[in-house]
Coordinates of all heavy atoms in Angstrom, one line a residue:
M1 N -45.7 29.4 -37.6 CA -45.2 30.4 -36.6 C -46.3 30.7 -35.6 O -47.4 30.9 -36.0 CB -44.8 31.6 -37.3 CG -44.2 32.7 -36.4 SD -43.6 34.0 -37.4 CE -43.2 35.1 -36.1
S2 N -46.0 30.6 -34.4 CA -47.0 30.9 -33.3 C -46.5 32.1 -32.5 O -45.3 32.4 -32.5 CB -47.2 29.6 -32.5 OG -46.0 29.2 -32.0
I3 N -47.4 32.6 -31.7 CA -47.1 33.8 -30.9 C -47.2 33.4 -29.4 O -48.1 32.7 -29.0 CB -48.2 34.9 -31.2 CG1 -48.2 35.2 -32.7 CG2 -48.0 36.1 -30.4 CD1 -49.3 36.0 -33.2
T4 N -46.3 34.0 -28.6 CA -46.4 33.8 -27.2 C -47.0 35.1 -26.6 O -46.8 36.2 -27.2 CB -45.1 33.5 -26.6 OG1 -44.2 34.6 -26.8 CG2 -44.5 32.3 -27.2
R5 N -47.5 35.0 -25.4 CA -48.0 36.2 -24.7 C -46.8 37.2 -24.4 O -47.0 38.3 -24.4 CB -48.6 35.8 -23.4 CG -49.9 35.1 -23.6 CD -50.5 34.6 -22.2 NE -51.2 35.6 -21.5 CZ -52.5 35.9 -21.6 NH1 -53.2 35.1 -22.4 NH2 -53.1 36.8 -21.0
E6 N -45.6 36.6 -24.2 CA -44.5 37.4 -23.9 C -44.1 38.2 -25.1 O -43.4 39.3 -24.9 CB -43.3 36.5 -23.5 CG -43.5 35.8 -22.1 CD -44.5 34.6 -22.2 OE1 -44.6 34.0 -23.3 OE2 -45.1 34.2 -21.2
Q7 N -44.4 37.8 -26.3 CA -44.0 38.6 -27.5 C -45.0 39.7 -27.8 O -44.7 40.6 -28.6 CB -44.0 37.6 -28.7 CG -42.9 36.6 -28.7 CD -43.0 35.6 -29.8 OE1 -44.1 35.1 -30.1 NE2 -41.9 35.3 -30.5
L8 N -46.1 39.7 -27.1 CA -47.1 40.7 -27.4 C -47.0 41.9 -26.3 O -46.6 41.6 -25.2 CB -48.5 40.1 -27.3 CG -48.8 39.0 -28.2 CD1 -50.1 38.3 -27.9 CD2 -48.8 39.5 -29.7
S9 N -47.5 43.0 -26.7 CA -47.5 44.1 -25.8 C -48.5 43.9 -24.7 O -49.5 43.2 -25.0 CB -47.8 45.4 -26.5 OG -49.1 45.5 -26.9
P10 N -48.4 44.5 -23.5 CA -49.4 44.3 -22.5 C -50.8 44.7 -22.9 O -51.8 44.1 -22.6 CB -48.9 45.2 -21.3 CG -47.4 45.2 -21.5 CD -47.2 45.2 -23.0
R11 N -50.8 45.8 -23.7 CA -52.1 46.3 -24.2 C -52.8 45.2 -25.2 O -54.0 45.0 -25.1 CB -51.9 47.6 -25.0 CG -53.2 48.2 -25.5 CD -53.0 49.5 -26.2 NE -54.2 50.1 -26.6 CZ -54.9 49.9 -27.7 NH1 -54.4 49.0 -28.6 NH2 -56.0 50.5 -28.0
T12 N -52.0 44.6 -26.0 CA -52.5 43.6 -26.9 C -53.0 42.4 -26.2 O -54.1 41.9 -26.5 CB -51.4 43.2 -27.9 OG1 -51.0 44.3 -28.7 CG2 -51.9 42.1 -28.9
V13 N -52.3 42.0 -25.1 CA -52.7 40.9 -24.3 C -54.1 41.2 -23.6 O -55.0 40.4 -23.6 CB -51.6 40.5 -23.3 CG1 -52.2 39.5 -22.2 CG2 -50.4 40.0 -24.0
R14 N -54.2 42.4 -23.1 CA -55.5 42.9 -22.5 C -56.6 42.8 -23.5 O -57.7 42.4 -23.2 CB -55.3 44.2 -21.9 CG -54.6 44.3 -20.6 CD -54.7 45.6 -19.8 NE -54.3 46.7 -20.6 CZ -53.1 47.3 -20.7 NH1 -52.2 46.7 -20.0 NH2 -52.9 48.3 -21.5
V15 N -56.3 43.3 -24.7 CA -57.4 43.3 -25.8 C -57.8 41.8 -26.1 O -59.0 41.5 -26.2 CB -56.9 44.0 -27.0 CG1 -57.9 43.8 -28.2 CG2 -56.8 45.5 -26.7
L16 N -56.8 41.0 -26.2 CA -57.1 39.6 -26.6 C -57.9 38.9 -25.4 O -58.9 38.2 -25.6 CB -55.9 38.8 -26.9 CG -55.2 39.2 -28.2 CD1 -53.8 38.5 -28.3 CD2 -56.1 38.9 -29.4
D17 N -57.5 39.1 -24.2 CA -58.2 38.6 -23.0 C -59.6 39.1 -22.9 O -60.5 38.4 -22.6 CB -57.4 38.9 -21.7 CG -56.2 38.0 -21.6 OD1 -56.1 36.9 -22.3 OD2 -55.3 38.3 -20.8
A18 N -59.7 40.4 -23.2 CA -61.1 41.0 -23.2 C -62.0 40.4 -24.3 O -63.1 40.2 -24.1 CB -61.0 42.5 -23.3
S19 N -61.4 40.2 -25.4 CA -62.1 39.6 -26.5 C -62.6 38.2 -26.1 O -63.7 37.8 -26.4 CB -61.3 39.5 -27.8 OG -60.9 40.8 -28.2
R20 N -61.7 37.4 -25.5 CA -62.1 36.1 -25.1 C -63.2 36.2 -24.0 O -64.1 35.4 -24.0 CB -60.9 35.3 -24.5 CG -59.9 34.9 -25.6 CD -58.7 34.2 -25.0 NE -59.0 33.2 -24.1 CZ -58.1 32.7 -23.2 NH1 -56.8 33.1 -23.2 NH2 -58.4 31.7 -22.4
A21 N -63.1 37.1 -23.1 CA -64.1 37.3 -22.1 C -65.5 37.6 -22.7 O -66.5 37.1 -22.3 CB -63.7 38.3 -21.1
L22 N -65.5 38.6 -23.7 CA -66.7 38.9 -24.3 C -67.3 37.7 -25.1 O -68.5 37.5 -25.1 CB -66.5 40.1 -25.3 CG -66.3 41.4 -24.6 CD1 -65.9 42.5 -25.6 CD2 -67.5 41.9 -23.8
A23 N -66.4 37.0 -25.7 CA -66.9 35.8 -26.4 C -67.5 34.8 -25.5 O -68.6 34.2 -25.7 CB -65.8 35.1 -27.2
A24 N -66.9 34.6 -24.3 CA -67.5 33.7 -23.3 C -68.8 34.2 -22.8 O -69.7 33.4 -22.6 CB -66.5 33.5 -22.2
L25 N -68.9 35.5 -22.6 CA -70.2 36.1 -22.2 C -71.3 35.9 -23.2 O -72.4 35.6 -22.9 CB -70.0 37.6 -21.9 CG -71.2 38.3 -21.5 CD1 -71.8 37.8 -20.2 CD2 -70.9 39.8 -21.4
A26 N -70.9 36.0 -24.5 CA -71.9 35.8 -25.6 C -72.4 34.4 -25.5 O -73.6 34.1 -25.8 CB -71.3 36.2 -26.9
V27 N -71.5 33.4 -25.3 CA -72.0 32.0 -25.2 C -72.9 31.8 -24.0 O -73.9 31.2 -24.2 CB -70.7 31.1 -25.1 CG1 -71.2 29.6 -24.9 CG2 -69.9 31.2 -26.4
V28 N -72.6 32.4 -22.9 CA -73.4 32.3 -21.7 C -74.8 32.9 -22.0 O -75.8 32.3 -21.6 CB -72.7 32.9 -20.5 CG1 -73.7 33.1 -19.3 CG2 -71.5 32.1 -20.1
L29 N -74.8 34.1 -22.6 CA -76.1 34.7 -22.9 C -76.9 33.8 -23.9 O -78.2 33.7 -23.7 CB -75.9 36.1 -23.6 CG -75.4 37.2 -22.6 CD1 -75.0 38.4 -23.4 CD2 -76.4 37.5 -21.5
Q30 N -76.3 33.2 -24.8 CA -77.1 32.4 -25.7 C -77.7 31.2 -25.0 O -78.8 30.8 -25.2 CB -76.3 31.9 -27.0 CG -77.2 31.1 -27.9 CD -76.6 30.9 -29.3 OE1 -75.4 30.9 -29.4 NE2 -77.5 30.7 -30.2
H31 N -76.8 30.5 -24.2 CA -77.3 29.4 -23.4 C -78.5 29.8 -22.4 O -79.4 29.1 -22.3 CB -76.2 28.8 -22.6 CG -75.3 27.9 -23.4 ND1 -75.7 26.7 -23.8 CD2 -74.1 28.1 -23.9 CE1 -74.7 26.1 -24.5 NE2 -73.7 27.0 -24.6
A32 N -78.3 31.0 -21.8 CA -79.4 31.5 -21.0 C -80.7 31.7 -21.8 O -81.8 31.4 -21.3 CB -79.0 32.8 -20.3
R33 N -80.6 32.3 -23.0 CA -81.7 32.5 -23.8 C -82.4 31.2 -24.2 O -83.6 31.1 -24.1 CB -81.4 33.3 -25.1 CG -82.7 33.6 -25.9 CD -82.4 33.9 -27.3 NE -81.8 32.9 -28.1 CZ -82.4 31.9 -28.7 NH1 -83.7 31.7 -28.6 NH2 -81.8 31.1 -29.5
L34 N -81.6 30.2 -24.6 CA -82.1 28.9 -24.9 C -82.9 28.3 -23.8 O -83.8 27.6 -24.0 CB -81.0 28.0 -25.5 CG -80.4 28.4 -26.8 CD1 -79.2 27.6 -27.1 CD2 -81.4 28.3 -27.9
S35 N -82.4 28.5 -22.5 CA -83.0 27.9 -21.4 C -84.2 28.7 -20.8 O -85.1 28.1 -20.3 CB -81.9 27.8 -20.2 OG -80.9 27.0 -20.6
L36 N -84.2 30.0 -21.0 CA -85.2 30.8 -20.3 C -86.2 31.4 -21.3 O -87.3 31.8 -20.8 CB -84.5 32.0 -19.6 CG -83.5 31.5 -18.5 CD1 -82.7 32.7 -18.0 CD2 -84.1 30.7 -17.4
L37 N -85.9 31.6 -22.5 CA -86.9 32.3 -23.4 C -87.4 31.4 -24.5 O -86.7 30.4 -24.8 CB -86.2 33.5 -24.1 CG -85.6 34.6 -23.1 CD1 -84.8 35.6 -23.9 CD2 -86.7 35.2 -22.3
V38 N -88.5 31.8 -25.1 CA -89.0 31.0 -26.2 C -88.2 31.2 -27.5 O -87.4 32.2 -27.6 CB -90.5 31.3 -26.5 CG1 -91.3 31.0 -25.2 CG2 -90.7 32.7 -26.9
D39 N -88.4 30.4 -28.5 CA -87.7 30.6 -29.7 C -88.1 31.9 -30.4 O -89.3 32.3 -30.2 CB -88.1 29.4 -30.7 CG -87.4 28.1 -30.3 OD1 -86.4 28.2 -29.7 OD2 -88.0 27.1 -30.7
P40 N -87.2 32.5 -31.1 CA -87.6 33.8 -31.7 C -88.8 33.8 -32.6 O -89.6 34.7 -32.6 CB -86.3 34.2 -32.5 CG -85.2 33.4 -31.9 CD -85.9 32.2 -31.4
E41 N -89.0 32.7 -33.2 CA -90.2 32.5 -34.1 C -91.5 32.5 -33.3 O -92.6 32.9 -33.9 CB -90.1 31.3 -35.0 CG -88.9 31.2 -35.9 CD -87.6 30.8 -35.2 OE1 -87.7 30.1 -34.2 OE2 -86.6 31.2 -35.7
S42 N -91.4 32.2 -32.1 CA -92.6 32.1 -31.2 C -93.0 33.4 -30.6 O -94.0 33.5 -29.9 CB -92.5 31.0 -30.2 OG -92.2 29.8 -30.7
V43 N -92.2 34.4 -30.7 CA -92.4 35.7 -30.0 C -93.5 36.5 -30.8 O -93.4 36.7 -32.0 CB -91.1 36.5 -30.0 CG1 -91.4 37.9 -29.4 CG2 -90.0 35.8 -29.2
T44 N -94.5 36.9 -30.0 CA -95.6 37.6 -30.7 C -95.4 39.1 -30.7 O -95.7 39.8 -31.6 CB -96.9 37.3 -30.0 OG1 -96.8 37.6 -28.6 CG2 -97.3 35.8 -30.2
S45 N -94.7 39.6 -29.6 CA -94.4 41.0 -29.5 C -93.0 41.3 -30.0 O -92.0 40.9 -29.3 CB -94.5 41.5 -28.1 OG -94.1 42.8 -27.9
R46 N -92.8 41.8 -31.2 CA -91.5 42.1 -31.7 C -91.1 43.5 -31.6 O -90.7 44.2 -32.6 CB -91.5 41.6 -33.2 CG -91.7 40.1 -33.3 CD -91.4 39.7 -34.8 NE -91.7 38.3 -34.9 CZ -90.7 37.4 -34.9 NH1 -89.5 37.7 -34.7 NH2 -91.0 36.1 -35.0
N47 N -91.3 44.1 -30.4 CA -90.9 45.5 -30.2 C -89.4 45.6 -30.1 O -88.6 44.6 -30.1 CB -91.6 46.0 -28.9 CG -91.2 45.2 -27.7 OD1 -90.2 44.5 -27.6 ND2 -92.2 45.2 -26.7
L48 N -88.8 46.8 -30.0 CA -87.4 47.0 -30.0 C -86.7 46.3 -28.9 O -85.6 45.7 -29.1 CB -87.1 48.5 -30.1 CG -85.7 48.9 -30.3 CD1 -85.1 48.4 -31.6 CD2 -85.5 50.4 -30.2
P49 N -87.1 46.4 -27.6 CA -86.4 45.7 -26.6 C -86.3 44.2 -26.8 O -85.3 43.6 -26.5 CB -87.2 46.1 -25.3 CG -87.9 47.4 -25.6 CD -88.2 47.3 -27.1
T50 N -87.4 43.6 -27.2 CA -87.4 42.2 -27.4 C -86.5 41.8 -28.6 O -85.7 40.9 -28.4 CB -88.9 41.7 -27.8 OG1 -89.7 42.1 -26.7 CG2 -88.9 40.2 -28.0
R51 N -86.5 42.6 -29.7 CA -85.6 42.3 -30.8 C -84.2 42.4 -30.3 O -83.3 41.7 -30.7 CB -85.9 43.2 -32.0 CG -87.2 42.8 -32.7 CD -87.3 43.5 -34.0 NE -87.0 44.9 -33.9 CZ -87.6 45.9 -34.4 NH1 -88.7 45.6 -35.2 NH2 -87.2 47.1 -34.3
F52 N -83.9 43.5 -29.5 CA -82.5 43.7 -29.0 C -82.0 42.5 -28.1 O -80.9 42.1 -28.3 CB -82.5 45.0 -28.2 CG -81.1 45.3 -27.7 CD1 -80.1 45.7 -28.5 CD2 -80.8 45.1 -26.3 CE1 -78.8 46.0 -28.0 CE2 -79.5 45.4 -25.8 CZ -78.5 45.8 -26.7
I53 N -82.9 42.0 -27.2 CA -82.5 40.9 -26.4 C -82.2 39.7 -27.2 O -81.1 39.0 -27.0 CB -83.6 40.6 -25.4 CG1 -83.7 41.7 -24.3 CG2 -83.4 39.2 -24.7 CD1 -84.9 41.6 -23.4
Y54 N -83.0 39.4 -28.2 CA -82.7 38.2 -29.0 C -81.5 38.4 -29.9 O -80.7 37.5 -30.2 CB -84.0 37.9 -29.9 CG -85.0 37.1 -29.1 CD1 -86.0 37.7 -28.4 CD2 -84.9 35.7 -29.1 CE1 -86.9 36.9 -27.6 CE2 -85.8 34.9 -28.3 CZ -86.8 35.6 -27.6 OH -87.7 34.8 -26.9
W55 N -81.3 39.7 -30.3 CA -80.1 40.0 -31.2 C -78.8 39.8 -30.3 O -77.9 39.2 -30.8 CB -80.2 41.4 -31.7 CG -79.0 41.8 -32.5 CD1 -78.7 41.4 -33.8 CD2 -77.9 42.6 -32.1 NE1 -77.6 42.0 -34.2 CE2 -77.0 42.7 -33.2 CE3 -77.6 43.3 -30.9 CZ2 -75.9 43.5 -33.1 CZ3 -76.4 44.0 -30.8 CH2 -75.6 44.1 -31.9
V56 N -78.8 40.4 -29.1 CA -77.6 40.3 -28.2 C -77.3 38.8 -27.9 O -76.1 38.4 -27.8 CB -77.8 41.1 -27.0 CG1 -76.8 40.8 -25.9 CG2 -77.8 42.6 -27.3
C57 N -78.3 38.0 -27.7 CA -78.2 36.6 -27.3 C -77.9 35.7 -28.5 O -77.9 34.5 -28.3 CB -79.4 36.1 -26.5 SG -79.6 37.0 -25.0
G58 N -77.8 36.2 -29.7 CA -77.7 35.4 -30.9 C -76.4 35.2 -31.5 O -76.2 34.6 -32.6
F59 N -75.3 35.5 -30.7 CA -73.9 35.4 -31.3 C -73.2 34.2 -30.7 O -71.9 34.2 -30.7 CB -73.2 36.7 -31.1 CG -73.7 37.8 -31.9 CD1 -74.5 38.8 -31.3 CD2 -73.5 37.9 -33.2 CE1 -75.0 39.8 -32.0 CE2 -74.0 39.0 -34.0 CZ -74.8 39.9 -33.3
G60 N -73.8 33.3 -30.0 CA -73.1 32.2 -29.3 C -72.3 31.3 -30.2 O -71.1 31.1 -29.9
H61 N -72.7 30.9 -31.4 CA -71.9 30.1 -32.3 C -70.7 30.8 -32.7 O -69.6 30.3 -32.7 CB -72.8 29.7 -33.5 CG -72.0 28.9 -34.5 ND1 -71.7 27.6 -34.3 CD2 -71.5 29.2 -35.7 CE1 -71.0 27.1 -35.3 NE2 -70.9 28.1 -36.2
E62 N -70.8 32.0 -33.2 CA -69.7 32.8 -33.6 C -68.7 33.1 -32.5 O -67.5 33.0 -32.6 CB -70.1 34.2 -34.2 CG -70.9 34.1 -35.5 CD -72.4 33.8 -35.2 OE1 -72.8 33.6 -34.1 OE2 -73.1 33.8 -36.2
A63 N -69.2 33.3 -31.3 CA -68.4 33.5 -30.1 C -67.6 32.3 -29.7 O -66.4 32.5 -29.3 CB -69.3 34.0 -28.9
V64 N -68.1 31.1 -29.9 CA -67.4 29.9 -29.6 C -66.2 29.8 -30.5 O -65.1 29.5 -30.1 CB -68.3 28.7 -29.8 CG1 -67.4 27.4 -29.8 CG2 -69.3 28.6 -28.6
I65 N -66.4 30.2 -31.8 CA -65.3 30.1 -32.8 C -64.2 31.1 -32.4 O -63.0 30.8 -32.4 CB -65.8 30.3 -34.2 CG1 -66.7 29.2 -34.6 CG2 -64.7 30.5 -35.2 CD1 -67.5 29.4 -35.9
V66 N -64.6 32.4 -32.1 CA -63.7 33.4 -31.7 C -62.9 33.0 -30.5 O -61.7 33.1 -30.4 CB -64.4 34.8 -31.5 CG1 -63.5 35.8 -30.8 CG2 -64.9 35.3 -32.8
F67 N -63.6 32.5 -29.5 CA -62.9 32.1 -28.2 C -61.9 31.0 -28.5 O -60.7 31.1 -28.0 CB -64.0 31.6 -27.2 CG -63.4 31.2 -25.9 CD1 -63.1 32.1 -24.9 CD2 -63.0 29.9 -25.7 CE1 -62.6 31.7 -23.7 CE2 -62.4 29.5 -24.5 CZ -62.2 30.4 -23.5
F68 N -62.2 30.0 -29.2 CA -61.3 28.9 -29.5 C -60.1 29.3 -30.4 O -59.0 28.8 -30.2 CB -62.0 27.6 -29.9 CG -62.6 26.9 -28.8 CD1 -64.0 26.9 -28.7 CD2 -61.9 26.3 -27.8 CE1 -64.6 26.2 -27.6 CE2 -62.5 25.6 -26.7 CZ -63.8 25.6 -26.6
V69 N -60.4 30.1 -31.3 CA -59.3 30.6 -32.2 C -58.3 31.4 -31.4 O -57.1 31.2 -31.4 CB -59.8 31.4 -33.4 CG1 -58.7 32.2 -34.1 CG2 -60.5 30.5 -34.4
L70 N -58.8 32.4 -30.6 CA -57.9 33.1 -29.7 C -57.2 32.3 -28.7 O -56.0 32.4 -28.5 CB -58.7 34.3 -29.0 CG -59.2 35.4 -29.9 CD1 -60.0 36.4 -29.1 CD2 -58.0 36.1 -30.6
S71 N -57.9 31.3 -28.1 CA -57.2 30.4 -27.2 C -56.2 29.6 -27.8 O -55.1 29.3 -27.3 CB -58.3 29.5 -26.5 OG -59.2 30.3 -25.7
G72 N -56.5 29.1 -29.0 CA -55.5 28.3 -29.8 C -54.3 29.1 -30.1 O -53.1 28.6 -30.0
V73 N -54.4 30.3 -30.4 CA -53.2 31.2 -30.7 C -52.4 31.4 -29.5 O -51.2 31.2 -29.5 CB -53.7 32.5 -31.3 CG1 -52.5 33.5 -31.3 CG2 -54.2 32.4 -32.7
L74 N -53.1 31.7 -28.4 CA -52.4 32.0 -27.1 C -51.9 30.8 -26.4 O -50.8 30.9 -25.8 CB -53.3 32.9 -26.2 CG -53.6 34.3 -26.8 CD1 -54.7 34.9 -25.9 CD2 -52.4 35.1 -26.9
V75 N -52.6 29.8 -26.4 CA -52.2 28.6 -25.6 C -51.5 27.6 -26.5 O -50.5 27.0 -26.1 CB -53.5 27.9 -24.9 CG1 -53.1 26.7 -24.2 CG2 -54.1 28.9 -23.9
G76 N -52.1 27.3 -27.7 CA -51.5 26.3 -28.5 C -50.1 26.6 -29.0 O -49.3 25.7 -29.1
G77 N -49.8 27.8 -29.2 CA -48.4 28.2 -29.6 C -47.4 27.8 -28.6 O -46.3 27.3 -28.9
S78 N -47.7 28.1 -27.3 CA -46.8 27.8 -26.2 C -46.7 26.3 -26.1 O -45.6 25.8 -25.7 CB -47.3 28.5 -24.9 OG -48.5 27.9 -24.5
V79 N -47.7 25.6 -26.3 CA -47.6 24.1 -26.2 C -46.7 23.5 -27.2 O -45.8 22.7 -27.0 CB -49.0 23.5 -26.3 CG1 -48.9 21.9 -26.4 CG2 -49.9 23.8 -25.1
V80 N -46.9 24.0 -28.5 CA -46.0 23.5 -29.6 C -44.6 23.8 -29.3 O -43.7 22.9 -29.4 CB -46.4 24.1 -30.9 CG1 -45.4 23.9 -32.0 CG2 -47.8 23.6 -31.3
R81 N -44.3 25.0 -28.8 CA -42.9 25.4 -28.5 C -42.3 24.5 -27.3 O -41.2 24.1 -27.4 CB -42.8 26.9 -28.1 CG -42.6 27.7 -29.4 CD -42.4 29.2 -29.0 NE -43.5 29.7 -28.2 CZ -44.6 30.1 -28.6 NH1 -44.9 29.9 -29.9 NH2 -45.6 30.6 -27.8
S82 N -43.2 24.3 -26.3 CA -42.7 23.5 -25.2 C -42.4 22.1 -25.6 O -41.5 21.5 -25.1 CB -43.7 23.5 -24.0 OG -43.9 24.8 -23.5
V83 N -43.3 21.5 -26.4 CA -43.1 20.1 -26.8 C -41.9 20.0 -27.7 O -41.1 19.1 -27.5 CB -44.4 19.6 -27.6 CG1 -44.1 18.3 -28.3 CG2 -45.6 19.5 -26.6
T84 N -41.7 21.0 -28.6 CA -40.5 21.0 -29.5 C -39.2 21.1 -28.6 O -38.2 20.4 -28.9 CB -40.6 22.1 -30.5 OG1 -41.8 22.0 -31.2 CG2 -39.4 22.1 -31.4
A85 N -39.3 21.9 -27.6 CA -38.1 22.0 -26.7 C -38.0 20.9 -25.7 O -37.1 20.9 -24.9 CB -38.1 23.4 -26.0
E86 N -38.9 20.0 -25.7 CA -38.9 18.8 -24.8 C -39.0 19.3 -23.3 O -38.3 18.7 -22.5 CB -37.7 17.9 -25.0 CG -37.8 17.3 -26.4 CD -36.6 16.3 -26.7 OE1 -35.8 16.1 -25.7 OE2 -36.6 15.8 -27.8
R87 N -39.8 20.3 -23.0 CA -39.9 20.8 -21.7 C -41.4 20.9 -21.3 O -41.8 21.6 -20.3 CB -39.2 22.1 -21.4 CG -39.5 23.2 -22.4 CD -38.6 24.4 -22.0 NE -38.7 25.4 -23.1 CZ -39.7 26.3 -23.3 NH1 -40.7 26.3 -22.4 NH2 -39.7 27.1 -24.3
W88 N -42.3 20.3 -22.0 CA -43.7 20.4 -21.8 C -44.1 19.5 -20.6 O -43.7 18.3 -20.6 CB -44.5 20.0 -23.0 CG -46.0 20.2 -22.9 CD1 -46.7 21.4 -23.1 CD2 -47.0 19.3 -22.5 NE1 -48.0 21.2 -22.8 CE2 -48.2 19.9 -22.4 CE3 -46.9 17.9 -22.1 CZ2 -49.4 19.2 -22.1 CZ3 -48.0 17.2 -21.8 CH2 -49.3 17.9 -21.7
T89 N -45.0 20.0 -19.7 CA -45.5 19.1 -18.6 C -47.0 19.5 -18.4 O -47.4 20.6 -18.7 CB -44.8 19.4 -17.3 OG1 -45.0 20.7 -16.9 CG2 -43.3 19.1 -17.4
W90 N -47.7 18.5 -18.0 CA -49.1 18.7 -17.7 C -49.3 19.8 -16.6 O -50.2 20.6 -16.7 CB -49.8 17.4 -17.2 CG -50.3 16.6 -18.4 CD1 -49.8 15.4 -18.8 CD2 -51.4 16.9 -19.2 NE1 -50.5 15.0 -19.9 CE2 -51.5 15.8 -20.2 CE3 -52.3 17.9 -19.3 CZ2 -52.5 15.8 -21.2 CZ3 -53.3 17.8 -20.3 CH2 -53.4 16.8 -21.2
S91 N -48.5 19.8 -15.6 CA -48.7 20.7 -14.5 C -48.5 22.2 -15.0 O -49.3 23.0 -14.6 CB -47.7 20.4 -13.4 OG -46.4 20.4 -13.8
E92 N -47.5 22.4 -15.8 CA -47.3 23.7 -16.3 C -48.4 24.1 -17.3 O -48.8 25.3 -17.3 CB -45.9 23.8 -17.1 CG -45.5 25.2 -17.5 CD -45.2 26.1 -16.4 OE1 -44.8 25.7 -15.3 OE2 -45.3 27.4 -16.7
Y93 N -48.8 23.2 -18.1 CA -49.9 23.5 -19.0 C -51.2 23.9 -18.2 O -51.9 24.8 -18.6 CB -50.2 22.3 -19.9 CG -51.4 22.4 -20.8 CD1 -51.4 23.2 -21.9 CD2 -52.6 21.7 -20.5 CE1 -52.5 23.3 -22.7 CE2 -53.7 21.8 -21.3 CZ -53.6 22.6 -22.4 OH -54.7 22.7 -23.2
M94 N -51.5 23.1 -17.2 CA -52.8 23.4 -16.5 C -52.6 24.7 -15.7 O -53.6 25.4 -15.5 CB -53.0 22.2 -15.5 CG -53.3 20.9 -16.2 SD -54.7 21.0 -17.3 CE -56.1 20.9 -16.2
L95 N -51.4 25.0 -15.2 CA -51.2 26.3 -14.5 C -51.4 27.5 -15.4 O -52.1 28.4 -15.0 CB -49.8 26.3 -13.9 CG -49.4 27.5 -13.1 CD1 -50.3 27.7 -11.9 CD2 -48.0 27.5 -12.7
R96 N -51.0 27.4 -16.7 CA -51.1 28.5 -17.6 C -52.6 28.5 -18.1 O -53.1 29.5 -18.4 CB -50.2 28.3 -18.8 CG -48.8 28.5 -18.4 CD -47.9 28.4 -19.6 NE -46.5 28.6 -19.2 CZ -45.7 29.3 -19.9 NH1 -46.1 29.8 -21.1 NH2 -44.5 29.5 -19.5

């Protein structure tokens, strides 16, 4: 059984979209950290701000999983229904 956006309340859709946005932001932060900062093991000053920055930027892997699970629920369900009903098209898929 899959869920469509239309079956969800507007508030639930906003929460899911916000969750996906936060997950995407977490991935961006981790990539930025990997590109701009040294490895956490190489940090000599482990003060609170430094630990906080590395902590905030450390959820990239988990965020990728959250993003793709939510996307799979919201997008994948509609694809399965469209294919089953024989009305799936690339243009509609890309538009959504």
Side-chain angles (χ1 to χ4, degrees):
M1 181 173 173
S2 56
I3 301 169
T4 64
R5 291 176 84 91
E6 293 77 24
Q7 292 172 315
L8 301 171
S9 71
R11 182 178 186 275
T12 302
V13 171
R14 284 193 305 271
V15 168
L16 292 174
D17 285 341
S19 299
R20 286 176 51 194
L22 287 173
L25 177 63
V27 173
V28 168
L29 288 174
Q30 183 167 25
H31 282 285
R33 185 199 60 84
L34 292 171
S35 298
L36 302 172
L37 303 175
V38 298
D39 289 332
E41 296 82 25
S42 301
V43 176
T44 56
S45 173
R46 295 186 183 265
N47 56 27
L48 187 60
T50 301
R51 288 191 317 221
F52 180 74
I53 289 170
Y54 279 90
W55 179 78
V56 166
C57 296
F59 294 102
H61 176 75
E62 294 84 355
V64 167
I65 294 169
V66 168
F67 181 85
F68 281 109
V69 167
L70 290 175
S71 296
V73 168
L74 295 173
V75 176
S78 66
V79 169
V80 169
R81 276 186 300 286
S82 296
V83 168
T84 303
E86 296 181 3
R87 56 182 167 81
W88 185 86
T89 63
W90 273 108
S91 59
E92 185 69 25
Y93 173 75
M94 297 303 280
L95 181 63
R96 289 179 178 223

